[in-house]
Amino acid sequence: QRGSEDREPVVSVGQDTLYEANLAAMTTNFEAQRKDGARLREEYIDRWIKRKLVYQKALDNLSPQQKDKDQALQRYYETLIRHTYQQSLLRQKLDQELSTDTLKAYYEANQSRFRLSAPVLKIRYLAVPPSAPDQSKLTDWFQSDKNYHLDSLYRYAKQHAQHFSLGNDQWQYYPEVRERFKLPAQAEPFLTNNQTHQTSLGDTANLHMGIKTYKLKNTTAPFPLKEQQVREALLNQRKKALFNEMEEE
C-alpha cells in the first residue's frame, strides 16, 4: 500500500531517518527528468546524509551553552512575526487605490523629479499616394484650429489616405516619430520652427504631418508619460512612512 511505502526508511544517521515520504515532493521533478531521476535522487540523499553528519558532529563537540539557542530562536521567531505583520499592514494600506488627483498633486509638487530624457510631441498625420489631389491644402488644414478644417482633413483622409491618425491625443517620443517619419535628427530647431512637415515615404506615399504641441528635452514631462513613475514614487514614499510609523509603535 502507498502509505506503508511512504514510511519505508531510505537511510538513517543517528536518530534521524529519511523516508520515502520525504522524497515524494521531488517525484514530479524526477518524472519530468526521467533520465536524471535516479541521479538526482542519489544526490539529494547524499546531501541529506552530509547535513545530518555535520549536525551530529556539531552536537557532539559544542558545549551546552553553545548549543542553547532558545534566545536566538525566540528572536528569530519574533522577527518573522513582526515582518509578517508589517507586510500585512503594508498590503492593506497600499492596496488602497491612489486617485488621479492624488497622483497629480504629487507630480505637481515634485516636477523636478520628472524630467524628459528626450523631446515629446503630439501629432496628426496622413499618408497619401503621390497622385492624390489637392495636397497643397493639407498644410493649411493642419495649421488651423477650426472644426470645419479638421472635418475637411477627416473627409480627405477617408477618401485618399493609405493610413492616417487625426484624433490621437497621446504624447510620443521624438526619436520614435523621427524614425517612423524621417524627421530631422536635431529635434529642437525642427520643433520650434515648424507646425507642419511634409516628406516622401518613397515612390508609394507622401507624408503630411501637423505638430499639435511639443515639449523639449530636460523640461518637465507631461503627467500621462510619467503617471506610472509617479505612482511608484508615491507608493515608496508611503512605504517608508508606514515602516517608520510601525517601528515607533
Side-chain angles (χ1 to χ4, degrees), residues 7-29:
R7 298 303 300 168
E8 184 72 23
V10 178
V11 65
S12 294
V13 175
Q15 296 182 351
D16 294 319
T17 300
L18 179 67
Y19 294 96
E20 286 292 343
N22 302 125
L23 296 171
M26 302 178 66
T27 301
T28 302
N29 288 337

Side-chain angles (χ1 to χ4, degrees), residues 20-83:
E20 286 292 343
N22 302 125
L23 296 171
M26 302 178 66
T27 301
T28 302
N29 288 337
F30 292 156
E31 291 298 326
Q33 307 175 52
R34 188 176 297 276
K35 293 181 180 179
D36 295 328
R39 178 179 59 81
L40 293 172
R41 175 187 173 92
E42 290 304 316
E43 289 178 354
Y44 180 86
I45 293 171
D46 287 344
R47 287 196 299 271
W48 184 90
I49 292 172
K50 289 176 182 177
R51 286 200 306 270
K52 293 301 179 181
L53 287 172
V54 172
Y55 175 68
Q56 189 62 52
K57 187 173 183 178
L59 289 179
D60 293 341
N61 288 278
L62 291 176
S63 67
Q65 291 79 11
Q66 289 174 313
K67 288 187 287 189
D68 184 3
K69 299 299 180 185
D70 287 347
Q71 289 186 355
L73 289 172
Q74 180 62 29
R75 287 195 298 271
Y76 181 60
Y77 174 76
E78 290 174 358
T79 299
L80 285 177
I81 292 297
R82 186 171 64 251
H83 177 75

Side-chain angles (χ1 to χ4, degrees), residues 209-221:
M209 175 190 296
I211 301 169
K212 297 168 66 176
T213 186
Y214 66 88
K215 291 180 74 69
L216 298 176
K217 181 180 178 179
N218 294 325
T219 60
T220 301

